Each structure stands twice: as C-alpha cells, then as structure tokens.
Amino acid sequence: MATIKLYDESAYNTEFSAEIVSAGEVDKEERLPVIFDKTLFFPEEGGQTCDRGTVSINGREFTVDHVSIDKANTITHFIHIENESDIALFKSGTKVSGKINFNHRFSNMQQHTGEHIFSGLVCGEKGYNNVGFHLSDDIVTMDYSGPLTDDEIAYFEKKANEVIYRNIEVKCEYPSAEELKNINYRSKIEIEGSVRIVTIPGVDVCACCAPHVRRTGEIGMLKVMDHINYKGGTRLSILCGYRALAAFNSYAASLKSISNTLSESKENLAESVTKLKKEKGDADYKLRKKSGEILALKAANIPADAENVTLFTDECDVNEVRKLINELTEKHKGFVSVYTGTDESGYSYIIGSRNLDCTEMAKVLKEKYGAKGGGKREMIQGHVAAPMKELYSL
C-alpha cells in the first residue's frame, strides 16, 4: 500500500509517530527493511538523496541508513540493526516514533529550490529543458538540453539571486486532474496518478516530489561552481545557502594561506602566481637542459664494448632522451635503457634496441614490478616502481 507522505504536509516538521506495516529480512549490510503506514522521511527520488535520521521503539533508538520508494509509492526504511534480538521489536502494528535530521533536510531544500529557480529562468528565456538532475551531499548538478555561454550563465546566476532576494512564496500543491490540464508545467518524466506541482510565481512551475523552502529568501544565495559542455548541452554545478557559504569560507581560507605563504596581498595573488609559474617553467627548462648535458657525459664514458647500457637521470627532455638512445643503439648491441626518477616516486623509462625485441623487456618489467607502458619492438616506454639497484641488474 502507498505510504502517507508526511513531508508533503510540511517540509519543516522533524518528528512523527507511525505504525509498522511490515518488516523484511536483514540484508548483507545489517539493515532491516521496514515499512510504516506514514513517514516524514523523504526517500531517494527524483535525483535527490534521502533524508537521514532515527526511529525509536520502546525507548530504543535506531539509525535509518537509507530510504527508498517503489512505483506503488510504498516507502521502505532501511534500519541499522546491531543485535539480532532487536529484529523482534519490528512487528506489524508496533508504534514507532521517528526524527529526521533537519539540517540535512534543510540543506537539500535550499539546493533543490535553488535549482528550480535557475532551471525555470533558463527554460523561460532559452527554452531549454532540464534533462538531468543530481543532488547529493557533495554536489548539485543540472543538465540542460542546449548550450549556455559564460555570459549567459553569469546572467542567469544574477537573475536567480534576484529571485532569492525578492523572497517569493514557494507553493507546493496537488491540483485536481481537471486543474492540471490547464497548467503549463515542466517535467522530466511522464507521471502517473497525482502530480505535485511546485510553483514559484513568475519564475517556474514544475512537477516535483521533493520538500522545498517556504519562501525563496530562505535559500540565501545561489552560486554556479562549474560548468561543462555535456551531450550537446550544458552541465552546471551549483551550491546554495549554507553549502555556498561553506564553499566560500573554504576558498577564503585557501586564499589567506596562499597569501601568507607568498607574502602577497590577496588582490595581487593571480599576478604573483602567474609570475611564479613562469619562473618555475624557466627553472625547469634549465634543469632539463643540465640533466641532458650530464646524461650525455655519462653516455660518453660508457665502454665501447658494453653490450647493454643502463643510465639514470633527473628530469630530462624526452626528445633528448630518445635522440641519445638512438645514437647509443648504433654503438651497442643490447638494450639501451634510460630511467628518470627516484626509488620513492618510481621511474619513467625509455628502452631501445636495434637488435633485440624491446617488448620482451617490457614483459619482464611488467611481470617483476607491475610496470605500465607500451611500445614496439624497437623502443618501449612507461613507468615502473622498482629500486635502482634492481633495474641496473636487468
């Protein structure tokens, strides 16, 4: 039977009483699936994670690990069971009390209503549909059916925050079948039975099953965190309310730390980091050149009658290494191997030979040390985690 959805009556209630309808068998994760006649727990549905919280029976409190819903609108609570004897408490007809974690619920409400505002604005002005939505504890993403430029995204972000600041009422209701015929609403899927409509007047009308804030002002703010081209459209990541504040605080702390490290004001950090990056690039280039020169000196001291050649070096220009190996393979009959790195970080290698099959050496490196790489008979390259002294002995 369908579970009564108390969260539809009020998204702000945190405690409820219910009666157990049935309980299943404990799963591999020590969770007991239990169905109540009614619940405040919002299940995982519509791209959104479920509520968190606890249920109590006879003074015993149990954690609700997960909540799901089926096509018949039956909501199942997966309750963590520590002792097998506790299973007997969950009998049909037993009275229970439940409590949801409202901080988690309210955070999800801020994100979801914020998404409705942004998607409503995009749909209204660009005609794009929201064809994908994911709301987890870490991220909120929306997929739109058409491309959005950087300027358009900035524009819609500003418009969304204007809607938030206007503190518009958010209406959640179940219109009758007749009323529904005259409502132009967004929906990602075909819906059977009663349809719950969430309306933000002048901004969005959308079919949605999730809890929402009463007024847009409760969202606080909306910030677009990232966007990419995705399947011919645009995927956006946003954060709202407390999550946006936490992200800002994290970024501010990082900027302060970098500012202190570089002894530079926050306003000049971008210019300072750009300068440091250039200086590092110049230094790396000089280092690679010197390493190449040292490598050439090492190669010059190799006995002419040596069959195999194994050299170790600091970071070098790959093209210079390849050039040196080609020169050495003309003088030496065996394998010419150049390893770059350290015992701690592992070694990048290039191995060449005019007379032997280098893929055979690749097999040895893979079998003995799990090396990763590839190549052809004449030359291979890759990375291996092995001590220098063992690589010398190959």
Side-chain angles (χ1 to χ4, degrees):
M1 73 180 204
T3 307
I4 297 172
K5 302 173 181 178
L6 297 175
Y7 52 82
D8 273 353
E9 299 173 13
S10 174
Y12 291 80
N13 290 341
T14 59
E15 298 184 19
F16 70 101
S17 297
E19 184 176 297
I20 294 176
V21 174
S22 63
E25 296 183 357
V26 176
D27 63 17
K28 294 179 181 179
E29 298 177 37
E30 298 183 338
R31 304 181 307 178
L32 181 70
V34 182
I35 298 170
F36 306 141
D37 61 340
K38 50 185 173 291
T39 186
L40 262 181
F41 282 89
F42 178 75
E44 184 173 349
E45 185 179 18
Q48 178 174 320
T49 55
C50 61
D51 279 329
R52 300 172 180 170
T54 59
V55 294
S56 298
I57 301 178
N58 298 332
R60 295 287 308 283
E61 187 175 82
F62 299 88
T63 300
V64 178
D65 278 357
H66 184 69
V67 187
S68 66
I69 188 169
D70 63 17
K71 292 182 179 180
N73 281 314
T74 300
I75 296 175
T76 302
H77 307 73
F78 292 84
I79 297 171
H80 182 69
I81 299 296
E82 293 185 357
N83 303 307
E84 194 172 328
S85 59
D86 292 333
I87 298 173
L89 296 172
F90 292 86
K91 293 180 179 179
S92 177
T94 301
K95 302 293 183 182
V96 300
S97 59
K99 184 175 182 178
I100 66 164
N101 179 331
F102 187 71
N103 288 337
H104 180 260
R105 158 74 68 83
F106 187 68
S107 176
N108 278 357
M109 288 161 60
Q110 287 182 314
Q111 314 312 309
H112 206 142
T113 310
E115 177 270 320
H116 274 231
I117 293 171
F118 202 101
S119 294
L121 292 170
V122 170
C123 183
E125 294 199 31
K126 298 289 291 184
Y128 298 162
N129 292 318
N130 180 345
V131 293
F133 173 62
H134 179 67
L135 168 53
S136 70
D137 296 344
D138 305 312
I139 194 169
V140 185
T141 60
M142 301 100 78
D143 298 338
Y144 295 112
S145 58
L148 292 170
T149 66
D150 290 353
D151 288 343
E152 287 173 329
I153 290 169
Y155 165 77
F156 285 120
E157 180 185 77
K158 186 174 184 293
K159 292 275 288 185
N161 281 289
E162 288 173 357
V163 172
I164 291 170
Y165 304 150
R166 283 161 52 197
N167 200 26
I168 302 170
E169 181 183 8
V170 180
K171 301 176 182 178
C172 302
E173 53 195 352
Y174 284 94
S176 67
E178 281 301 312
E179 291 172 324
L180 196 63
K181 291 178 182 178
N182 299 314
I183 298 175
N184 183 22
Y185 63 92
R186 294 189 302 113
S187 178
K188 292 191 288 293
I189 59 172
E190 291 293 328
I191 303 172
E192 297 181 2
S194 299
V195 179
R196 183 170 178 264
I197 298 294
V198 176
T199 303
I200 305 171
V203 181
D204 188 43
V205 182
C206 183
C208 183
C209 56
H212 287 269
V213 297
R214 292 191 185 101
R215 306 188 73 89
T216 60
E218 296 178 60
I219 299 169
M221 70 168 292
L222 180 151
K223 185 73 186 86
V224 176
M225 305 302 292
D226 194 14
H227 63 92
I228 59 172
N229 297 327
Y230 184 72
K231 294 184 177 179
T234 302
R235 169 168 286 182
L236 277 177
S237 297
I238 65 168
L239 289 178
C240 298
Y242 287 122
R243 293 196 196 181
L245 177 62
F248 176 84
N249 287 339
S250 176
Y251 293 152
S254 295
L255 283 176
K256 183 178 180 181
S257 176
I258 297 169
S259 176
N260 291 341
T261 299
L262 300 180
S263 298
E264 186 64 82
S265 68
K266 294 177 184 176
E267 292 74 19
N268 295 327
L269 277 181
E271 182 181 344
S272 181
V273 169
T274 300
K275 181 181 177 183
L276 283 173
K277 184 178 180 181
K278 183 180 183 305
E279 291 175 353
K280 181 182 182 299
D282 292 343
D284 287 346
Y285 173 76
K286 291 178 182 178
L287 179 61
R288 288 195 299 271
K289 288 289 288 183
K290 287 295 181 186
S291 295
E293 292 171 5
I294 294 171
L295 185 62
L297 288 173
K298 290 179 180 179
N301 290 321
I302 298 171
D305 59 350
E307 186 170 331
N308 295 313
V309 176
T310 301
L311 297 170
F312 286 82
T313 181
D314 293 327
E315 192 66 36
C316 265
D317 183 85
V318 173
N319 291 326
E320 290 296 320
V321 173
R322 287 177 176 274
K323 181 181 176 181
L324 178 64
I325 288 176
N326 286 331
E327 292 174 357
L328 291 174
T329 54
E330 292 181 0
K331 303 174 183 177
H332 303 276
K333 296 180 179 180
F335 293 110
V336 176
S337 308
V338 177
Y339 295 92
T340 305
T342 65
D343 281 7
E344 291 72 27
S345 63
Y347 293 93
S348 296
Y349 62 81
I350 300 178
I351 301 173
S353 179
R354 297 260 174 148
N355 304 298
L356 303 177
D357 186 353
C358 292
T359 60
E360 293 299 319
M361 179 64 82
K363 291 178 183 178
V364 172
L365 288 168
K366 183 176 182 180
E367 290 172 1
K368 291 191 70 172
Y369 307 111
K372 294 183 179 180
K376 298 180 179 179
R377 188 182 192 283
E378 298 80 10
M379 186 174 288
I380 61 170
Q381 67 181 61
H383 190 271
V384 61
M388 180 190 292
K389 63 180 181 180
E390 293 190 22
L391 294 174
Y392 257 128
S393 64
L394 290 177

